[in-house]
Amino acid sequence: MITHDVVVIGGGLSGLRCAIELHEKGVDVAIISKVPPIRSHSGAAQGGINASLGSDDSWESHAFDTVKGSDYLADQDTVEILCREAPDRVIEMEHWGTNFSRKDDGTIAQRPFGGAGFPRTCYAGDRTGHNLLHTLHERVLRAGIKVYREWLVTKIVIEDNRCQGFVAMNLLNSELEVFKTKATVLATGGYGRIYERSTNAIINKGFGISLAYRAGVPMQDMEFVQFHPTTLWGTNILITEGARGEGGYLYNKDHERFMKDYAASSMELAPRDIVARSIQQEIDEGRGFPGGYVHLDITHLGKDLIEKRLGGIRQISIDFAGIDPVEEPIPVQPGQHYSMGGISSDKDGATPANGLYAVGECACISVHGANRLGGNSLLDTVVFGRRAGVHAADYVASLEEKEESEEDDALEQALNNERTAISDMMGSDGESYSGISEKLKKTMQENVGVFREKKKLQKAIEDIKKLEERAKSLKVKTTAKEFNLELLNAIELKGMLDLAHAIALGALVREESRGAHYRTDFLERDDGNWLKHTLAYLTPEGPRLEYKEVNITTFQPQRRTY
């Protein structure tokens, strides 16, 4: 049994920021991660991080843009925290060494992003996440924080509504171990890989979310899935919103800047949900290029600017599409990108279970509502990562010394159960994870995508239920102990099915269109019936949905136009 006061599960931006805060407060903290921290998906974030640094900008304007962008589903008290604390967190990252791009006067450069009233997105070329991630990782190394690299957490243990620790598998040898904690922080990222077309890394399957769900913590607003407008056609690698922020144009096959028909004022810098739907509509109605894409043209920006501010995009286009965007437009199509939903948690990352926290993309603190604005996800990680660290430190300090034998019994029992479950999974006669996961991704892509309607959503749920039945006879044929990736994938598959079921069911029941959730059979937003959050609880029959009110403080819902 390994013991720490707090263990942070996940080595991306939110997890690293949380661990740093805990360490600075004198807490015995460790990080456990499926991959080395610098391979976390945070490093793939390109365009930037929002903060109202300009003299003509304000946190109130940032908050309004965020709430409007969320289609009024975000909780406004948490949005206020996000936007108020943004300048301090960005300046903090600058002081810690992040290599932000600069204006001529030496201050941090900012570019326009979709749905924002001001150019408030701070950036480091088009490798902002990479720079932030290395900055925090170096700080973790300097602090000497223990990092358990390449471990998969398989079970969260909650007794009497208090998290007591978890069971994890060392991928080096497939051995299971118990981690006993006073508090545990989930910072495990999103679930893009339950879709066929996604910008997410292959590690992003949402398993951390399902760990909490299976331990009794509800998932929130899972039906709100962001599809990024511009992913590279064929591979779905992210093409940053910064390309449009710097002045890129979208063209259909007739060389029309079609955004004039969908968002005449904002054009290419409308929020992501609107631009993604516009591109998909052009493709669906025959105005896209053969194979299903449109053009993102940045050739007019010139080689010098592209090299200076969008060098990563140029290299990606050359390496993965054989196209130099200095000379040719980039073929793009919408792809799953971000998870607005996640583990239900509050402004400090605290979940309904005492001692269990969730931050970053795996959490639903509800600052993004029905549609996240570009530049707000990186901000979310450092603002709420820090806040969760502060709260968890106070929580640990408040605990009284207790009789530990019962807690140890619960953890040891969980360990034995996990050993049995994995042993039962080994064998040659049964379903393979790959067949089920590929069918799941295809179903989600075709039926729970950019445009949704009742029959397709019903079909998705029927398909998912069949896949859940097949998964009961899942078997792992590979017996290797070292990095048995078939075993890892098989363990995570049931979590993918959990999330897909909750997403599809939430989308079917929510009979309105709001943000990224767009129903072709219910075209309008319906505040009278649906201005509320969805909560999904695990039952033996599948997800059970409940609802709770949205926290509205300053900005009353109004029609959303751009």
Side-chain angles (χ1 to χ4, degrees):
M1 183 178 294
I2 297 172
T3 302
H4 292 281
D5 285 347
V6 182
V7 175
V8 178
I9 305 174
L13 283 173
S14 54
L16 297 180
R17 184 62 188 85
C18 182
I20 290 167
E21 194 67 24
L22 284 157
H23 174 79
E24 290 183 351
K25 294 189 175 306
V27 176
D28 167 29
V29 57
I31 297 167
I32 188 168
S33 178
K34 189 167 63 175
V35 295
I38 57 172
R39 284 185 55 207
S40 300
H41 188 57
S42 300
Q46 297 171 350
I49 177 170
N50 292 337
S52 54
L53 301 181
S55 59
D56 54 349
D57 199 1
S58 68
W59 73 262
E60 291 92 340
S61 295
H62 185 184
F64 172 71
D65 289 342
T66 299
V67 170
K68 181 181 176 184
S70 81
D71 223 346
Y72 295 88
L73 192 71
D75 284 330
Q76 296 183 18
D77 54 341
T78 56
V79 171
E80 181 175 322
I81 290 170
L82 178 82
C83 301
R84 273 183 182 275
E85 297 188 9
D88 286 345
R89 296 287 74 77
V90 169
I91 297 301
E92 180 178 71
M93 292 304 300
E94 179 195 36
H95 290 177
W96 285 356
T98 300
N99 188 24
F100 284 112
S101 297
R102 302 284 167 173
K103 300 177 188 175
D104 292 341
D105 65 2
T107 56
I108 295 174
Q110 295 179 281
R111 60 173 40 132
F113 252 40
F118 292 86
R120 65 169 66 95
T121 304
C122 312
Y123 59 94
D126 56 359
R127 298 181 177 95
T128 310
H130 178 87
N131 274 273
L132 293 169
L133 186 65
H134 278 264
T135 301
L136 291 183
H137 185 241
E138 287 169 5
R139 204 161 181 88
V140 164
L141 293 178
R142 189 167 75 173
I145 295 171
K146 172 70 176 177
V147 180
Y148 296 90
R149 294 175 176 83
E150 297 179 312
W151 288 67
L152 177 71
V153 176
T154 65
K155 177 80 174 178
I156 297 285
V157 180
I158 295 176
E159 288 284 317
D160 299 327
N161 199 41
R162 189 172 80 77
C163 182
Q164 298 176 354
F166 54 86
V167 179
M169 183 173 70
N170 187 344
L171 300 182
L172 181 62
N173 54 22
S174 296
E175 293 295 323
L176 291 169
E177 182 59 89
V178 165
F179 285 72
K180 181 179 179 179
T181 65
K182 295 176 181 175
T184 297
V185 182
L186 286 159
T188 52
Y191 52 72
R193 285 292 165 170
I194 69 171
Y195 280 84
E196 198 170 41
R197 297 205 306 255
S198 174
T199 63
N200 284 197
I202 59 173
I203 57 175
N204 286 34
K205 301 173 192 169
F207 192 56
I209 301 174
S210 72
L211 287 174
Y213 181 56
R214 288 190 169 232
V217 177
M219 297 188 285
Q220 182 173 322
D221 292 342
M222 293 298 287
E223 61 267 39
F224 296 100
V225 180
Q226 181 165 84
F227 295 85
H228 197 285
T230 56
T231 75
L232 189 64
W233 179 66
T235 59
N236 301 110
I237 299 171
L238 177 64
I239 302 296
T240 177
E241 190 167 326
R244 285 173 284 133
E246 296 293 347
Y249 299 145
L250 289 167
Y251 290 109
N252 61 21
K253 70 178 177 62
D254 301 319
H255 203 63
E256 293 175 338
R257 281 184 70 190
F258 55 85
M259 285 307 302
K260 68 182 187 322
D261 299 325
Y262 302 94
S265 297
S266 300
M267 296 292 284
E268 284 84 357
L269 287 179
R272 290 176 176 177
D273 57 333
I274 294 173
V275 182
R277 279 197 295 275
S278 304
I279 293 174
Q280 193 62 54
Q281 187 168 337
E282 291 294 303
I283 294 169
D284 291 348
E285 296 181 355
R287 295 185 293 277
F289 291 89
Y293 62 89
V294 298
H295 275 161
L296 172 61
D297 191 353
I298 59 173
T299 57
H300 56 284
L301 301 180
K303 183 177 180 180
D304 289 347
L305 186 145
I306 292 172
E307 275 292 293
K308 184 178 180 181
R309 300 183 187 176
L310 300 169
I313 292 306
R314 185 186 183 198
Q315 198 62 52
I316 287 170
S317 300
I318 292 172
D319 290 345
F320 293 95
I323 288 171
D324 186 347
V326 170
E327 301 173 351
E328 299 176 80
I330 307 169
V332 295
Q333 64 181 170
Q336 193 284 346
H337 179 61
Y338 189 81
S339 319
M340 271 77 75
I343 303 162
S344 184
S345 50
D346 70 9
K347 61 184 173 60
D348 297 308
T351 74
N354 295 324
L356 182 65
Y357 295 79
V359 289
E361 193 174 346
C362 76
C364 183
I365 294 175
S366 192
V367 289
H368 308 304
N371 174 64
R372 177 178 67 78
L373 292 187
N376 272 352
S377 63
L378 290 182
L379 178 61
D380 177 348
T381 65
V382 292
V383 167
F384 293 103
R386 174 189 165 276
R387 291 182 66 92
V390 171
H391 196 277
D394 290 343
Y395 172 79
V396 167
S398 73
L399 295 178
E400 297 178 358
E401 294 298 326
K402 296 177 65 175
E403 178 59 47
E404 296 183 343
S405 60
E406 292 185 6
E407 295 180 358
D408 292 351
D409 289 346
L411 289 165
E412 291 294 345
Q413 184 61 51
L415 174 64
N416 292 332
N417 291 344
E418 288 300 284
R419 283 179 173 149
T420 300
I422 290 176
S423 176
D424 290 346
M425 201 183 295
M426 307 304 291
S428 57
D429 297 326
E431 293 278 357
S432 71
Y433 84 89
S434 59
I436 297 174
S437 66
E438 291 308 307
K439 174 63 177 174
L440 175 66
K441 292 175 184 179
K442 189 175 180 61
T443 290
M444 294 299 288
Q445 189 69 43
E446 292 180 351
N447 301 306
V448 200
V450 174
F451 295 113
R452 303 167 172 183
E453 53 98 10
K454 182 176 181 179
K455 287 184 179 178
K456 285 191 171 185
L457 293 169
Q458 288 175 327
K459 181 177 187 314
I461 293 170
E462 291 171 6
D463 288 348
I464 292 166
K465 286 181 177 177
K466 290 175 184 175
L467 294 173
E468 289 171 336
E469 280 301 309
R470 288 174 57 185
K472 291 177 180 176
S473 56
L474 188 65
K475 291 294 182 184
V476 176
K477 300 178 180 63
T478 305
T479 57
K481 293 294 185 182
E482 299 84 7
F483 292 98
N484 187 339
L485 298 184
E486 185 186 1
L487 175 58
L488 180 148
N489 285 320
I491 292 170
E492 292 186 320
L493 177 62
K494 293 182 180 179
M496 295 168 69
L497 290 165
D498 287 344
L499 272 57
H501 200 158
I503 292 168
L505 182 61
L508 174 65
V509 174
R510 184 176 284 271
E511 294 183 333
E512 66 159 353
S513 289
R514 184 185 297 271
H517 171 67
Y518 195 88
R519 289 279 300 256
T520 55
D521 46 356
F522 295 94
L523 294 172
E524 298 296 324
R525 196 177 78 197
D526 181 359
D527 288 340
N529 292 304
W530 290 106
L531 184 55
K532 52 190 178 184
H533 297 297
T534 306
L535 296 173
Y537 294 85
L538 181 67
T539 77
E541 294 76 34
R544 183 188 79 246
L545 301 185
E546 296 183 6
Y547 295 89
K548 70 174 184 179
E549 295 301 309
V550 176
N551 193 338
I552 295 173
T553 57
T554 304
F555 308 112
Q556 292 302 308
Q558 54 186 275
R559 190 168 183 82
R560 188 168 164 251
T561 57
Y562 290 94

